[in-house]
Amino acid sequence: MEKKNKNNKGRNSNNRSRNNKNNRNKNVKSSSSANGQNRNRKRVRRRTSGGSDIFRKYDNLLSQHLISRKKYFEYYYRANDQLLSKLEDNFYKSLKQLRDFETGLSEEDRIKLKSKYEGRPIDTTYTANREITPEGEIVSIADVFEDPHHLETQRNHEWSNDTEESSGSYEEYKRYKGIE
């Protein structure tokens, strides 16, 4: 009868230690209970000015988007179809959240955000060191471009007198190919 079950002994010792901890906590008064406040009550978060909240929210959305973009492109050729679909959904979802946040801002907040993120000067160290204009050359798309692979001697050469590697006339070539 004196034998004790090992499981019983473990349970009783745990209960005793828990009870001792609870009793110790009851005897100690916290500063919040001394003031009459409930320590389980949710704390109200103090908000700073609206501008910093906007920047913090934008930074959070931007970092989420950059992470999802990185994962999507890193795993593009290595992931199976199911994972790739999930990564692609996350990528486009984060992009949509970022764009929705930008479009949902008031005009004043949009100006603040633009002044912080788009108001940074362009890095022109390379062009300044090499005395290159940062704008670059303006190239007209409407012009007809010359083939850059032809040399000047090739452009001005008269090819009708060339008999070096060809034999026969153009008419013979047409007959040979059956083009006539």
Side-chain angles (χ1 to χ4, degrees):
M1 292 240 168
E2 299 268 336
K3 290 183 181 179
K4 291 186 179 179
N5 191 350
K6 289 182 182 180
N7 293 335
N8 255 348
K9 182 181 178 187
R11 277 191 230 149
N12 289 339
S13 63
N14 282 341
N15 288 338
R16 273 189 237 120
S17 64
R18 282 189 201 137
N19 288 337
N20 288 340
K21 286 179 186 177
N22 290 337
N23 289 336
R24 275 186 262 140
N25 289 337
K26 287 179 184 177
N27 295 333
V28 178
K29 287 194 174 188
S30 66
S31 60
S32 63
S33 63
N35 294 336
Q37 296 175 352
N38 185 357
R39 65 183 177 149
N40 294 329
R41 194 172 87 192
K42 290 184 180 180
R43 294 183 183 139
V44 177
R45 190 176 81 172
R46 304 261 181 218
R47 291 191 177 251
T48 56
S49 67
S52 65
D53 283 344
I54 292 168
F55 298 142
R56 184 173 46 240
K57 176 79 171 172
Y58 185 78
D59 285 340
N60 185 15
L61 290 173
L62 184 62
S63 66
Q64 287 176 6
H65 174 64
L66 292 177
I67 290 168
S68 65
R69 182 181 73 176
K70 179 182 176 187
K71 284 182 179 179
Y72 175 62
F73 287 110
E74 278 183 353
Y75 289 102
Y76 189 80
Y77 290 107
R78 296 187 293 167
N80 59 19
D81 291 340
Q82 185 179 6
L83 179 61
L84 186 61
S85 175
K86 181 181 176 183
L87 292 172
E88 186 177 11
D89 290 345
N90 288 341
F91 171 69
Y92 286 116
K93 189 189 312 178
S94 66
L95 182 62
K96 184 180 182 314
Q97 287 174 346
L98 190 63
R99 288 181 178 162
D100 289 346
F101 177 77
E102 290 172 348
T103 56
L105 291 174
S106 66
E107 190 62 35
E108 179 184 325
D109 292 339
R110 194 173 291 126
I111 291 170
K112 285 181 187 177
L113 193 67
K114 188 175 182 179
S115 68
K116 181 175 179 184
Y117 289 99
E118 295 178 12
R120 296 181 179 156
I122 298 171
D123 184 18
T124 58
T125 308
Y126 181 84
T127 55
N129 289 344
R130 287 156 182 80
E131 298 176 358
I132 302 171
T133 59
E135 290 82 26
E137 297 176 11
I138 299 173
V139 179
S140 174
I141 298 174
D143 291 344
V144 177
F145 297 104
E146 296 179 8
D147 189 356
H149 303 290
H150 284 141
L151 300 174
E152 192 64 34
T153 56
Q154 290 174 322
R155 287 188 205 119
N156 297 333
H157 190 69
E158 183 65 37
W159 295 104
S160 62
N161 298 331
D162 184 23
T163 58
E164 194 172 298
E165 291 186 24
S166 62
S167 62
S169 66
Y170 188 63
E171 289 80 24
E172 290 174 344
Y173 173 75
K174 284 184 176 179
R175 270 187 259 127
Y176 174 73
K177 288 292 188 179
I179 297 173
E180 285 188 76

